[in-house]
Amino acid sequence: MLLQTDNYHFEMIHSELKWAVGADNVRTDDADKLGHSIDYYWVPELWHDRNCPPQPPQIIVTPETAQDVAKVMKIANNYKIPVTPWGGGSGSQGGALPIYGGISLDTKKLNKVLEIDEKSLTITAETGCNMQQLEWATEKAGYSTMHFPASIACATLGGFLAHRGTGVLSTKYGKIEDMVMSIEMVTPEGEVINTLPVPRHASGPDLTQMFLGSEGTLGVMTKVTLKIHPIPECRKFHAFLFKNMTSAMAAGSELMTSRLRPAVIRLYDTPETAKLIKKVLGIDREGSYLVFGFDGPEEMVDLEMARACEICRKQNPEDLGTEMGQTWWDNRYKFFYPPYMFHMPQAFGTLDTVATFANIENVYWAMKKVVTENFPQATFIGHFSHWYEWGCMLYARFIIDDPPSDPAEATALYNKIWDMAIRAAMDNGGVINEHHGVGLKLGRMMPELYGNAFDILKRIKKIMDPNNIMNPGKMGFGN
Amino acid sequence: MHIQTHTDVISACRFCFMCRHLDTTGNVTFREADTPRGRALVLDRIRMNPEQLANPDFINVMYQSTLSAACRKHCVSHYDEAGLVLQARRDIVEQNLVPEAVSQLAQSIQEQFDPKLTGEGQDVLILSTQKDTFEHQLVHLTDKTVQVLQVNDTGKIPSVLGLTDQAKEMAKQIAAMIKKSGCSTVVTNSPAAFDALKNDYPSWEIDWDGITIEHSSTYLTKLVDAKKVTLQCNDEVVYYIDSDYLRNYNDITVEPRQLLEQAGYQLNPFGTNPEESYALGEAAMVLDQLHPKLVQMMVERFKSMMDQPLDRIVTASPYTLRILRGAGIDVMSLEEALLACSAKA
């Protein structure tokens, strides 16, 4: 049901919500609603930039407990009101946008750190915790989550769980789904459930993994237990400039298939090295920049570092040394601050995909070909961010400096680039996304990605959320 | 509109989330609007649709900001998000949209404005904005005879409320009295007064003609370095809380800590991080009067960040001191902490 705000029925529901979670936790003010109408997705930013009317929720609810969330779900189900979970609002896929209005369920007051288990090295926290604040609290206790995404300062823990986020050190410490022990979740019908306490078991299919990445379409995750780690004795970096991306990729993939355990590898293609590495790190030479780092006990780090450098040197790169690696680490978030980040009036998008080493370069070239041949006004750049034993993630980007001023025309162009580029990735063994999620932006492509298996996901959604109140319009589930 | 002077900030902040974890208001209200992004979005809409300035929700957001500038300091490009809010408040005032509570406060400041200068001929003038014992503390520490200018406010309060004309008028009178006094150095223990004299007055074209403006912490540091004051005697553990006006507006972080360490105190870091503002709305000057519930929430957050409920706090901010003392927290001013263990050289 779409809520109308100018009638007595709205006031009745408004009151009911206030009685359920407290008047201070139900808001309808214009300033906050404006904030909830725009996330980090380019299209609502464009909409705002062009002074188009915002598409806000009617009500913002800020529950303080899982039981509060359950009460909101029951009320929303009763009236069939859309509920869109909102954490930090910093997702780039439009996943938190309340496109059908209704309730924006803001989780930021679910922000308690509940327990640090120093014997098992786990932390249990509510999902509305700001990730940087959570990391600071963990560090104060002498540990680290080792989850260092560029959005660490912006996003909530729940946001990462909702779309399977990742951090800079994912190559050693994993994506968020590798860090999770168990979760507490409120189902769309208002039941509070917990998944099994450990992530490795043979007690049936893994519900934890089913809910991770569900982007608020199957309920709201309210609590999580994560692995934490001792602060490593040392962390060291090294950087090389390769003649081209292919030789850098050969080195990077050998580094992984040799089963060394870097904490991070990042490889920038030649255009991104010229555009961003030059701008942020000041390296003004042609080539493909590759940086990697190891952490842990110093003797082990030094040994692995030496082996990794040996592998790289086989390709005859320019050795930029440890300093240019450390500088990259020190500036790792700088890329995302204005004016370094792409910004209006530019149109830009991160064509995030992942594939095996056998396929990833083909994916890169196919996407690049599609973008540059069909959209000559666009620049295509990319880097390879998160590396696994079997492949890596491509963080490709397109940038148009001067998109159409008409918002409808600009949106159409934007969507067309996305569709063609992602299809090119899928045709070559890539998937829709690696760590930004699906959201509103890519939902339409989910049936293509999954084929007839998508029907299974739809049936799960139907069973869990029969009234389709949870984040409608996202993940390809429709309205 | 005055916000037009900060369109670079609006453009940079409206879609940027990178400092939201440090917004002092946002960290207790958890509202999207109470972040530099939220405020920039609101002001961007007002920039495009000026009539929306009259929206009471938008006005409220501007007056809820603590102006702590923790986000500006964190930003790699230091976009002036606090300055943007100040410009918005000026626009609100000039459009006669200012909330009644703000008008009343400004009026009361004006009514009580009656600067008084005592003493004459000395090089050092103490500017005191509180009915406290700062001048006696400083005299005791330095053994100097000083002139004292007692004021209820330097113009900082009307300035942060958006009433720039009133602030400038007060500034003009204070500056004239200081110049007439013949002093060469003005020392104040109020970070807000220091910032007003150091930064606001020159921006209002008040030329100090060679008079040095010092916060008490930097002034005392110089005296200690010159061995004119000796600090010793304590080994107590304390937690120093930065003043927003010192740290985020004037980059004064080292001197207060150094003084405490020279006095023998063991400094423990407060909270979980060095970036957040724990000054409880100091830079908004009167936040406790305009939004007492908000300040109470900040106090609760402050308490949750303490290692132990009995931790001893030291702050250079009289505002923060007053709020913490009112909440029953064990707190000393910087001067009290130094006086507790000083000996003249």
Side-chain angles (χ1 to χ4, degrees):
Chain A
M1 180 184 82
L2 297 181
L3 276 174
Q4 300 296 316
T5 54
D6 55 352
N7 61 36
Y8 59 78
H9 190 214
F10 173 82
E11 286 310 325
M12 289 170 72
I13 294 169
H14 190 196
S15 302
E16 206 173 331
L17 286 165
K18 286 199 255 188
W19 295 330
V21 298
D24 284 349
N25 289 325
V26 181
R27 306 194 291 248
T28 56
D29 75 90
D30 289 338
D32 212 26
K33 288 198 299 191
L34 177 61
H36 280 251
S37 71
I38 302 163
D39 63 359
Y40 205 51
Y41 178 27
W42 184 79
V43 171
E45 291 181 355
L46 165 83
W47 224 244
H48 172 89
D49 183 72
R50 303 297 198 266
N51 203 13
C52 302
Q55 292 178 244
Q58 272 84 38
I59 302 180
I60 298 159
V61 181
T62 54
E64 296 186 30
T65 64
Q67 287 66 35
D68 281 354
V69 175
K71 288 178 199 166
V72 174
M73 297 296 209
K74 284 176 181 164
I75 293 168
N77 246 302
N78 197 28
Y79 298 106
K80 299 184 177 58
I81 302 166
V83 176
T84 305
W86 176 284
S90 56
S92 57
Q93 313 295 82
L97 296 172
I99 50 172
Y100 292 104
I103 296 168
S104 184
L105 192 144
D106 188 322
T107 60
K108 285 195 288 292
K109 286 190 181 174
L110 293 162
N111 69 341
K112 288 186 269 310
V113 177
L114 300 168
E115 187 191 9
I116 294 180
D117 175 349
E118 298 193 68
K119 203 163 185 182
S120 319
L121 289 194
T122 62
I123 188 168
T124 301
E126 293 179 330
T127 54
C129 287
N130 173 280
M131 191 64 219
Q132 179 64 79
Q133 295 281 356
L134 182 71
E135 174 61 20
W136 278 333
T138 313
E139 287 176 10
K140 181 144 185 167
Y143 305 98
S144 171
T145 63
M146 295 297 176
H147 188 55
F148 297 111
S151 57
I152 187 168
C154 338
T156 59
L157 179 52
F160 297 113
L161 302 172
H163 70 271
R164 291 179 171 250
T166 196
V168 183
L169 302 181
S170 62
T171 300
K172 178 171 179 179
Y173 296 99
K175 293 181 72 206
I176 198 80
E177 63 263 35
D178 304 309
M179 299 177 173
V180 171
M181 301 286 292
S182 66
I183 57 169
E184 175 188 82
M185 170 121 174
V186 181
T187 67
E189 292 183 302
E191 198 177 349
V192 182
I193 60 166
N194 285 277
T195 61
L196 298 184
V198 290
R200 293 284 174 264
H201 58 79
S203 311
D206 194 337
L207 279 179
T208 303
Q209 291 296 328
M210 189 183 85
F211 293 133
L212 295 173
S214 58
E215 300 191 16
T217 60
L218 301 181
V220 180
M221 286 174 265
T222 46
K223 187 169 80 179
V224 62
T225 300
L226 291 177
K227 300 171 199 170
I228 55 174
H229 305 271
I231 307 288
E233 188 180 301
C234 75
R235 182 174 290 141
K236 294 183 180 178
F237 299 90
H238 205 106
F240 289 94
L241 189 68
F242 289 79
K243 286 183 197 72
N244 53 47
M245 192 188 81
T246 299
S247 59
M249 177 58 77
S253 58
E254 190 182 340
L255 226 145
M256 291 307 298
T257 53
S258 69
R259 298 299 186 245
L260 294 175
R261 290 287 312 279
V264 56
I265 305 181
R266 195 156 289 190
L267 157 58
Y268 293 80
D269 72 356
T270 312
E272 188 158 348
T273 300
K275 206 174 176 82
L276 274 183
I277 293 297
K278 179 183 168 188
K279 197 171 172 185
V280 177
L281 303 185
I283 298 169
D284 191 8
R285 290 195 287 287
E286 197 175 325
S288 196
Y289 173 88
L290 179 115
V291 60
F292 51 81
F294 292 88
D295 67 15
E298 190 153 20
E299 305 94 292
M300 289 167 71
V301 166
D302 288 344
L303 181 64
E304 288 203 285
M305 185 62 88
R307 294 288 293 273
C309 288
E310 260 173 49
I311 289 170
C312 288
R313 287 189 183 112
K314 287 185 203 168
Q315 306 293 330
N316 290 321
E318 179 186 344
D319 191 339
L320 299 173
T322 54
E323 194 186 329
M324 272 301 146
Q326 184 67 44
T327 307
W328 172 85
W329 172 253
D330 295 342
N331 288 279
R332 65 193 184 280
Y333 300 141
K334 189 174 173 182
F335 298 90
F336 298 92
Y337 285 81
Y340 301 99
M341 185 59 192
F342 300 109
H343 54 270
M344 292 282 169
Q346 292 171 314
F348 48 91
T350 300
L351 302 161
D352 154 2
T353 186
V354 58
T356 59
F357 286 127
N359 292 328
I360 193 71
E361 271 198 87
N362 292 337
V363 168
Y364 171 89
W365 292 113
M367 287 174 105
K368 183 166 184 155
K369 186 168 187 286
V370 152
V371 172
T372 54
E373 285 184 0
N374 293 284
F375 308 97
Q377 68 275 51
T379 304
F380 181 92
I381 60 174
H383 61 261
F384 300 86
S385 268
H386 304 280
W387 295 63
Y388 307 98
E389 297 94 332
W390 43 264
C392 61
M393 177 259 185
L394 168 60
Y395 196 110
R397 283 190 276 194
F398 67 86
I399 305 113
I400 300 172
D401 286 332
D402 189 19
S405 57
D406 176 68
E409 207 185 316
T411 304
L413 171 66
Y414 190 79
N415 284 343
K416 197 170 172 196
I417 298 174
W418 271 99
D419 281 19
M420 291 179 77
I422 294 296
R423 282 198 182 104
M426 290 196 292
D427 289 347
N428 285 277
V431 296
I432 281 181
N433 203 274
E434 198 260 356
H435 70 257
H436 291 93
V438 177
L440 174 64
K441 184 194 272 181
L442 300 172
R444 64 186 175 276
M445 307 191 84
M446 285 287 275
E448 274 178 69
L449 177 71
Y450 276 84
N452 57 7
F454 189 65
D455 195 45
I456 304 287
L457 286 180
K458 282 172 75 175
R459 278 188 265 168
I460 292 169
K461 165 74 172 165
K462 182 78 185 162
I463 288 164
M464 291 217 46
D465 183 16
N467 289 321
N468 195 26
I469 61 164
M470 290 307 303
N471 209 359
K474 312 291 170 57
M475 295 272 287
F477 292 136
N479 177 17
Chain B
M1 295 181 92
H2 293 293
I3 58 171
Q4 302 278 10
T5 60
H6 282 59
T7 47
D8 63 324
V9 183
I10 292 176
S11 298
C13 298
R14 62 185 179 161
F15 304 136
C16 178
F17 292 79
M18 298 300 277
C19 65
R20 68 165 309 141
H21 61 306
L22 295 173
D23 192 284
T24 321
T25 306
N27 272 346
V28 295
T29 65
F30 302 101
R31 284 157 41 96
E32 286 301 314
D34 291 328
T35 63
R37 179 190 83 105
R39 289 186 284 266
L41 281 173
V42 163
L43 294 174
D44 203 25
R45 286 221 85 85
I46 291 170
R47 183 186 62 79
M48 294 185 280
N49 311 279
E51 74 284 358
Q52 293 190 17
L53 182 63
N55 185 322
D57 292 343
F58 292 178
I59 291 171
N60 187 48
V61 163
M62 295 308 141
Y63 281 101
Q64 283 211 151
S65 166
T66 63
L67 303 167
S68 76
C71 294
R72 179 177 68 192
K73 188 165 180 70
H74 168 83
C75 174
V76 300
S77 308
H78 305 299
Y79 282 105
D80 187 9
E81 43 86 28
L84 173 63
V85 173
L86 287 175
Q87 298 310 320
R89 291 181 180 186
R90 290 181 70 187
D91 285 328
I92 291 165
V93 168
E94 287 180 17
Q95 299 285 320
N96 293 320
L97 295 165
V98 71
E100 182 59 25
V102 172
S103 291
Q104 284 177 5
L105 254 170
Q107 197 183 333
S108 133
I109 293 297
Q110 187 63 55
E111 284 165 5
Q112 291 167 34
F113 184 62
D114 183 22
K116 284 198 169 48
L117 182 69
T118 53
E120 58 181 49
Q122 280 76 37
D123 280 351
V124 176
L125 182 145
I126 304 290
L127 178 76
S128 185
T129 56
Q130 304 274 323
K131 285 181 181 149
D132 62 16
T133 54
F134 169 57
E135 59 267 27
H136 304 301
Q137 292 164 347
L138 200 68
V139 167
H140 189 88
L141 280 167
T142 62
D143 204 18
K144 263 179 176 285
T145 314
V146 294
Q147 301 182 74
V148 177
L149 179 60
Q150 182 79 47
V151 290
N152 65 330
D153 181 55
T154 54
K156 195 66 168 173
I157 295 174
S159 168
V160 300
L161 293 176
L163 293 123
T164 313
D165 290 344
Q166 182 182 334
K168 283 182 181 174
E169 199 49 50
M170 290 166 73
K172 221 186 281 176
Q173 287 188 48
I174 289 172
M177 289 178 83
I178 289 173
K179 285 185 189 177
K180 200 176 162 197
S181 78
C183 71
S184 61
T185 304
V186 179
V187 182
T188 178
N189 73 331
S190 159
F194 169 70
D195 186 64
L197 270 63
K198 181 89 181 165
N199 299 317
D200 296 349
Y201 285 26
S203 76
W204 296 332
E205 292 169 356
I206 290 173
D207 183 353
W208 282 119
D209 297 327
I211 296 173
T212 306
I213 311 296
E214 292 264 26
H215 181 255
S216 52
S217 62
T218 57
Y219 179 68
L220 284 170
T221 297
K222 286 176 189 164
L223 292 180
V224 171
D225 289 348
K227 300 196 188 323
K228 290 182 179 167
V229 171
T230 304
L231 301 169
Q232 58 192 10
C233 86
N234 216 310
D235 59 358
E236 196 181 349
V237 173
V238 293
Y239 295 78
Y240 175 70
I241 301 301
D242 277 296
S243 147
D244 292 335
Y245 276 123
L246 291 188
R247 180 181 68 177
N248 300 337
Y249 285 71
N250 289 286
D251 279 325
I252 297 175
T253 57
V254 174
E255 289 87 346
R257 288 178 170 81
Q258 198 174 296
L259 284 169
L260 289 167
E261 282 171 350
Q262 284 168 333
Y265 289 100
Q266 186 191 319
L267 286 180
N268 272 5
F270 182 82
T272 59
N273 69 88
E275 290 195 86
E276 204 171 330
S277 162
Y278 299 113
L280 310 170
E282 176 206 24
M285 299 297 291
V286 286
L287 197 68
D288 58 322
Q289 293 175 62
L290 285 180
H291 293 287
K293 195 173 164 188
L294 188 59
V295 174
Q296 186 52 41
M297 289 156 79
M298 289 172 191
V299 169
E300 292 308 315
R301 180 170 172 78
F302 186 99
K303 286 180 177 172
S304 75
M305 288 284 183
M306 294 172 78
D307 288 348
Q308 303 291 334
L310 296 177
D311 287 344
R312 190 136 215 227
I313 307 295
V314 176
T315 177
S317 161
Y319 168 91
T320 308
L321 179 95
R322 180 166 54 78
I323 302 289
L324 288 177
R325 215 162 251 174
I329 291 169
D330 183 11
V331 57
M332 293 186 285
S333 72
L334 186 61
E335 291 77 25
E336 284 168 344
L338 300 180
L339 206 58
C341 55
S342 69
K344 292 178 203 90

